[in-house]
Amino acid sequence: MLTKEELVKIGVNVDNLTYPNGEMNVIVQCFGFSEEDIENNERTELSPDIYHPRKNSVWCCSYNGDNIPFANKEEKEDWVKHLKDSAERLKIMSYYLSKQAEEIEKFGYPKTNCYYPE
């Protein structure tokens, strides 16, 4: 496990690691709205793919119309926290995967464990 100082050194903004269920719910894909959608007021669907490392599965969910999680200030803040938390956790994962690649090139096998970092 990386220390706070090590996380900062690899470019992680630790202040964004705040989502309460972040280690279990990492957004890995989420399409935005096109300019045309916005101009036509057709922002009708948000479909994030959320990776659950402990379950080794991706949860695909859809929010439609009034169900989009920006209905009020609290939901909007929660969604932004989730996105920022996911971005930082994916930086950590990228660090570990890159380290494994370097080890395989150097030693012929990985020495570093790469289980989703909490």
Side-chain angles (χ1 to χ4, degrees), residues 61-112:
C61 57
S62 280
Y63 300 100
N64 294 298
D66 294 335
N67 190 30
I68 292 178
F70 310 139
N72 59 50
K73 182 181 177 186
E74 291 79 22
E75 287 181 354
K76 182 178 179 181
E77 288 173 355
D78 186 62
W79 191 256
V80 169
K81 279 183 184 179
H82 196 169
L83 288 168
K84 288 181 177 182
D85 183 90
S86 294
E88 300 308 321
R89 290 181 188 280
L90 290 170
K91 288 178 189 177
I92 297 167
M93 183 62 99
S94 176
Y95 167 79
Y96 280 115
L97 293 173
S98 295
K99 191 170 180 177
Q100 277 195 339
E102 291 170 7
E103 291 169 351
I104 291 169
E105 288 175 338
K106 185 174 181 177
F107 307 112
Y109 56 91
K111 292 185 173 188
T112 302

Side-chain angles (χ1 to χ4, degrees), residues 27-91:
I27 297 171
V28 292
Q29 174 177 295
C30 187
F31 296 105
F33 300 112
S34 71
E35 290 297 322
E36 185 178 322
D37 291 338
I38 294 168
E39 288 172 10
N40 296 326
N41 200 26
E42 294 178 359
R43 293 174 286 174
T44 58
E45 186 172 343
L46 184 69
S47 302
D49 289 347
I50 302 174
Y51 178 56
H52 295 261
R54 289 188 176 90
K55 295 179 182 176
N56 197 24
S57 66
V58 173
W59 176 53
C60 304
C61 57
S62 280
Y63 300 100
N64 294 298
D66 294 335
N67 190 30
I68 292 178
F70 310 139
N72 59 50
K73 182 181 177 186
E74 291 79 22
E75 287 181 354
K76 182 178 179 181
E77 288 173 355
D78 186 62
W79 191 256
V80 169
K81 279 183 184 179
H82 196 169
L83 288 168
K84 288 181 177 182
D85 183 90
S86 294
E88 300 308 321
R89 290 181 188 280
L90 290 170
K91 288 178 189 177

